[in-house]
Amino acid sequence: MSEEQPSRRKFYLAFINGLGALITGALAIPAALYLLVLPKSSKSIQWVQAADLSLLPDKTPQEVSFPEKRVDGWKVSTEKATAWVVKTSDTQVVAFSPRCTHLGCAYHWVAKDNNFFCPCHTSTFAIDGRVLSGPAPRPLDRYEVKLEGAKLLLGPIVKV
Ligand code: FES
């Protein structure tokens, strides 16, 4: 009887220590992965197919929409993005960010005035992105563009 008590006590002690080690491991492994594994890099250029160049009219801005992959740390999501695209020839195209360079409002093309117009504070931009009037401090930002045949691929936005 006296030999059973220490043995049972040792068993419970080992069981509790083992349980503690399991709980510690269950908490430490995710914490270590969070601290040691680097998040996916968002710095590599992601090219996205935005339009078919053969379907775009010459020298008339068109707003195109496309799915854009967004990487935020470990989270990857897809969002709808847009660009104003101007086809200047069969092999050249310019794609503008859809945000005004003043405070980021969405602007649009006004065909009768032959310019881009931002309704927030009335900035206007030429078809090549230059500021024509209003408080906008710089020309429209552009996407990096690449053509693969008739496919228009857009990269990151670069500030002019
Ligand atoms: Fe476009 Fe102010 S946000 S003019």
Side-chain angles (χ1 to χ4, degrees):
M1 182 92 173
S2 63
E3 286 180 18
E4 262 185 53
Q5 289 290 346
S7 172
R8 187 179 299 162
R9 187 172 296 138
K10 280 183 186 172
F11 170 78
Y12 286 133
L13 208 54
F15 179 77
I16 290 169
N17 286 339
L19 198 60
L22 272 175
I23 291 170
T24 302
L27 294 175
I29 291 171
L33 288 175
Y34 177 79
L35 292 173
L36 301 176
V37 176
L38 294 175
K40 291 175 186 156
S41 173
S42 59
K43 296 202 174 175
S44 63
I45 292 181
Q46 309 270 333
W47 294 97
V48 182
Q49 184 177 347
D52 184 335
L53 204 59
S54 63
L55 302 177
L56 295 175
D58 284 343
K59 295 174 184 153
T60 303
Q62 296 290 305
E63 189 172 27
V64 299
S65 61
F66 52 92
E68 186 177 55
K69 194 165 104 181
R70 185 181 179 94
V71 179
D72 186 13
W74 288 268
K75 185 179 172 197
V76 179
S77 58
T78 303
E79 297 175 349
K80 180 184 162 198
T82 62
W84 281 95
V85 175
V86 182
K87 178 178 158 185
T88 53
S89 75
D90 284 343
T91 57
Q92 288 200 319
V93 67
V94 179
F96 296 110
S97 160
R99 299 281 159 223
C100 175
T101 54
H102 179 223
L103 293 176
C105 284
Y107 60 84
H108 59 273
W109 176 248
V110 181
K112 73 174 179 57
D113 296 336
N114 201 37
N115 63 30
F116 292 106
F117 175 73
C118 178
C120 290
H121 311 98
T122 66
S123 283
T124 57
F125 302 88
I127 196 169
D128 62 1
R130 283 177 296 119
V131 178
L132 296 176
S133 66
R138 62 177 195 279
L140 294 173
D141 297 328
R142 298 172 178 216
Y143 283 93
E144 284 189 30
V145 295
K146 188 164 79 171
L147 292 174
E148 283 183 0
K151 280 192 225 166
L152 169 62
L153 304 175
L154 301 183
I157 293 172
V158 281
K159 293 184 178 174
V160 179

